Amino acid sequence: MSMEPKLLKQLLLKNHQDAIYQNQCQSLCLPMADSRERIRGPSRDGREFLTSPRQVLRRLMLLSEGRQYREAAGVVGRLGPSVLHSVIAELPIDLLLEHLPHSAYLLESFYTRLTTLNSTPKPDVPSETVVWQLVRLFANPHEPGLRQRCSKLMQALAHYEPGLRQVLRERRRSFDNAVQGLGVHGLTTDASGQLISLHVALKAELQRHVDTYKMAIHKLEELSMVTSNQDPAHSSHQRLLAINYGDIQQRLIDNKTLLTMLDKPALKQLHTLVENLSTRVENDKEVLSCVGQVKRLDAQAHIEKRPAAGLLMNFSRGCEVVLHMMGPESVPPSPLAANKATAAGSAGGSSCSDGYHSDDSASEDGSELVSHYRNLYIENRADALEALDSLPQLKHVHSLKAKILFSMIVLSFRLCHGMRERKVLEVRHVLNCALDSSSETALALDRSVRHHLHKTAESFPLGEIERSVFNQVLSTLHEYPCLESCPPLTHFVSACVRLAWRMINQKAPYYLDTDFNLGFLRPEKHERHPQSDRRSDLIKAFLWPALMQNNRCAFKAVVAT
């Protein structure tokens, strides 16, 4: 018991000494730590002056790991040409692509900076890899805000690498052709005109050839008893001219018998069947090649479990979306056009120059509207169709869903045209101008009203027309009340009406071709749907109407054959 107070006293004394030693060490280390923090701390103006490519790369990776892509883009925006090229050479693009669309801001800053610096030679940037990652994102179901996040990146890509547009067009065309090739593997006709499988037709045709050739061989064997050991001298020109009437007659009978056996009309179908078989082989090669490309682009596509047509159509749509979001392609004016514009400006003053530019902008607006119309079919219609597919009541009425969307775009143009003419008549009525007057004053008033509608097309209230289109469809299909509670369908109607109003209020108005007769396909204004029967030119249904302007087809109607 006497030992315990002594041990306790020694233990407390040791702890006190240790505490004093630690305090001394901390007091000595604090100035060094403060100076180290001052060295490592950021500059007072909040900007980092990083001159080493390794430092820049490390900083970008740290910011990217924290998803601080805007701060990282700010660092890129201050880099000089040499540092920027060194950073791009070592930048792990794959990591940034995995985080798309979140990393789109950082990638866009790289391409914008490269375009601004315009240094030569261009650094080796995997732009095509970035594009195909964007195509993969848009080919699959995506979140609504994806386009807003990636639009500037795609425009920056198009400015830096203009050739990417052609690459996308060719790939989209190959996908579409592959899907069309899948439709040729149907039934074929045999010698009697009946529809049968190609393999069954080939088997029957080959069996017919075998039987015929056996008979021909038997006939040749009969003839060989006479001609097999014939002296070659008997076939000389002099001997052939010396044969008599009976020999010629017998020779004709023998050859005619062989020709009758071999030259049968039924035997001539083999060549057609072989060509059909060759076409199917080439089409399947194209499909497998395109699916292989998709697999390389998207390792998670699960191509073994998905229909090939749906997979390729999705990626074709992804290419179309990316092409559309790259914006209009800038084409440099030809020297001849530039000389004409200069001559017009010098001869007629500013008014001629303004007229030249207004025509140019009008054509650009027209191409943009046609592009919106195409986009309405490719994207908005596809989204609405997908929403209708999810409704249980419409699960088994596939043709009805396409007819609903077709009716909505037609009604939108029809009601918008009626609204425009009604507004013109209302102004006449308010100003006490005769409704049937054709005087110059009345016509000038009409032109002023139409000009005003053209200028205010973007902001004109169209809720009345949207409700009218939707209500007309609902009243016709009152047995399907589920349509009333389908938001994507409402959005589709709104997009149709807004675009139709802009198009009919152009200086040269657009309008729909209302010839919906189910006749034969006309290539100048009809385009066959990829899943249609390519062997038939008889139109079964209209899927999307043709867009016309000044009796010229601006966008072909999509039809099913």
Side-chain angles (χ1 to χ4, degrees), residues 344-546:
S346 60
S350 61
S351 61
C352 293
S353 177
D354 292 341
Y356 172 79
H357 288 294
S358 64
D359 293 342
D360 205 25
S361 61
S363 64
E364 289 179 1
D365 292 341
S367 62
E368 180 184 359
L369 287 174
V370 174
S371 179
H372 284 319
Y373 187 76
R374 181 187 300 108
N375 192 47
L376 188 67
Y377 168 69
I378 294 174
E379 296 182 29
N380 300 66
R381 180 182 178 275
D383 295 340
L385 198 60
E386 184 178 355
L388 293 177
D389 288 336
S390 63
L391 298 177
Q393 295 181 353
L394 299 176
K395 186 176 182 180
H396 300 292
V397 284
H398 301 289
S399 60
L400 177 62
K401 290 175 282 191
K403 291 178 180 178
I404 290 173
L405 303 182
F406 181 82
S407 302
M408 286 179 170
I409 184 64
V410 174
L411 280 173
S412 298
F413 270 84
R414 185 179 301 166
L415 295 180
C416 285
H417 181 271
M419 169 74 82
R420 186 191 65 173
E421 298 305 313
R422 190 164 63 250
K423 291 300 179 185
V424 173
L425 295 178
E426 286 177 0
V427 173
R428 280 196 176 199
H429 178 72
V430 170
L431 298 179
N432 199 23
C433 179
L435 299 182
D436 57 349
S437 174
S438 59
S439 64
E440 183 60 32
T441 305
L443 296 178
L445 178 61
D446 292 348
R447 287 194 296 269
S448 298
V449 174
R450 290 192 172 94
H451 179 71
H452 174 75
L453 293 177
H454 169 67
K455 291 296 184 181
T456 61
E458 294 284 351
S459 57
F460 195 88
L462 298 172
E464 177 186 347
I465 302 180
E466 293 178 10
R467 289 189 294 271
S468 181
V469 171
F470 204 67
N471 290 336
Q472 286 193 36
V473 174
L474 291 179
S475 61
T476 305
L477 302 173
H478 54 83
E479 65 271 22
Y480 297 104
C482 57
L483 296 175
E484 191 172 359
S485 58
C486 183
L489 198 60
T490 308
H491 299 329
F492 178 72
V493 171
S494 178
C496 289
V497 171
R498 176 59 60 186
L499 182 59
W501 181 253
R502 289 181 60 192
M503 285 187 150
I504 67 163
N505 282 294
Q506 295 298 305
K507 295 178 180 178
Y510 289 90
Y511 56 92
L512 297 184
D513 180 20
T514 55
D515 181 13
F516 301 137
N517 294 322
L518 301 180
F520 286 96
L521 184 140
R522 296 171 57 185
E524 67 273 11
K525 70 173 186 176
H526 295 150
E527 182 176 354
R528 197 192 311 267
H529 190 268
Q531 294 182 345
S532 298
D533 183 6
R534 297 186 61 81
R535 297 175 301 173
S536 173
D537 288 337
L538 187 63
I539 298 175
K540 294 181 180 179
F542 279 82
L543 303 180
W544 198 251

Side-chain angles (χ1 to χ4, degrees), residues 19-290:
I20 293 174
Y21 179 76
Q22 290 177 0
N23 289 334
Q24 291 175 351
C25 290
Q26 290 178 359
S27 63
L28 290 173
C29 292
L30 276 176
M32 296 178 64
D34 291 342
S35 64
R36 190 162 54 244
E37 289 299 325
R38 285 196 297 271
I39 293 173
R40 293 183 178 178
S43 59
R44 291 183 180 181
D45 62 354
R47 300 173 64 181
E48 299 178 65
F49 298 97
L50 302 175
T51 57
S52 170
R54 190 173 297 277
Q55 289 179 342
V56 174
L57 190 61
R58 185 183 300 113
R59 180 63 175 159
L60 291 177
M61 289 297 97
L62 288 174
L63 291 174
S64 299
E65 288 177 4
R67 293 203 171 187
Q68 299 177 3
Y69 295 110
R70 289 185 178 272
E71 290 79 359
V75 174
V76 173
R78 297 194 297 270
L79 297 180
S82 59
V83 178
L84 181 64
H85 288 193
S86 301
V87 170
I88 288 177
E90 299 183 10
L91 186 70
I93 293 290
D94 295 342
L95 295 178
L96 297 180
L97 294 181
E98 290 178 2
H99 292 90
L100 277 174
H102 306 290
S103 60
Y105 200 86
L106 177 56
L107 288 170
E108 179 225 332
S109 66
F110 273 110
Y111 287 105
T112 303
R113 187 62 175 163
L114 287 170
T115 305
T116 303
L117 295 175
N118 195 20
S119 57
T120 53
K122 283 186 175 182
D124 186 14
V125 186
S127 304
E128 194 168 336
T129 306
V130 179
V131 166
W132 291 123
Q133 180 69 6
L134 292 170
V135 170
R136 186 187 69 82
L137 290 177
F138 285 102
N140 299 309
H142 51 269
E143 55 189 18
L146 180 62
R147 297 187 185 183
Q148 289 76 6
R149 290 183 176 183
C150 298
S151 60
K152 291 185 178 179
L153 170 58
M154 285 184 276
Q155 293 171 8
L157 273 168
H159 282 109
Y160 184 71
E161 289 284 354
L164 289 175
R165 283 192 177 92
Q166 186 61 26
V167 174
L168 283 171
R169 291 192 190 101
E170 292 177 356
R171 189 67 62 88
R172 182 190 62 185
R173 192 180 301 113
S174 67
F175 287 158
D176 292 340
N177 292 338
V179 173
Q180 293 176 3
L182 288 172
V184 304
H185 289 262
L187 299 178
T188 187
T189 55
D190 61 359
S192 62
Q194 294 182 348
L195 291 174
I196 58 174
S197 168
L198 176 62
H199 291 178
V200 175
L202 276 171
K203 181 180 179 181
E205 185 68 16
L206 290 174
Q207 186 63 48
R208 193 179 298 112
H209 276 253
V210 169
D211 296 340
T212 302
Y213 295 155
K214 285 182 177 179
M215 294 173 59
I217 290 174
H218 180 70
K219 182 62 178 177
L220 289 171
E221 288 177 348
E222 291 179 356
L223 295 176
S224 65
M225 296 179 182
V226 180
T227 60
S228 59
N229 298 323
Q230 188 176 10
D231 188 356
H234 292 172
S235 298
S236 64
H237 184 67
Q238 291 79 6
R239 291 293 180 91
L240 291 176
L241 294 178
I243 61 176
N244 56 28
Y245 175 81
D247 294 334
I248 296 175
Q249 188 178 32
Q250 185 60 43
R251 185 176 64 188
L252 173 62
I253 294 173
D254 295 339
N255 290 337
K256 180 62 177 176
T257 303
L258 283 174
L259 182 62
T260 303
M261 290 181 181
L262 298 176
D263 193 24
K264 292 182 178 180
L267 295 180
K268 295 181 179 180
Q269 195 188 13
L270 181 62
H271 180 68
T272 303
L273 294 177
V274 171
E275 284 187 347
N276 193 343
L277 184 64
S278 175
T279 302
R280 296 187 178 195
V281 169
E282 294 302 321
N283 286 337
D284 281 346
K285 285 182 179 179
E286 182 68 19
V287 170
L288 292 180
S289 174
C290 291

Side-chain angles (χ1 to χ4, degrees), residues 139 179 182 306-317 531:
V179 173
L182 288 172
R306 296 177 60 182
L311 184 70
L312 297 179
M313 290 175 69
N314 286 344
F315 271 81
S316 175
R317 183 175 59 186
Q531 294 182 345

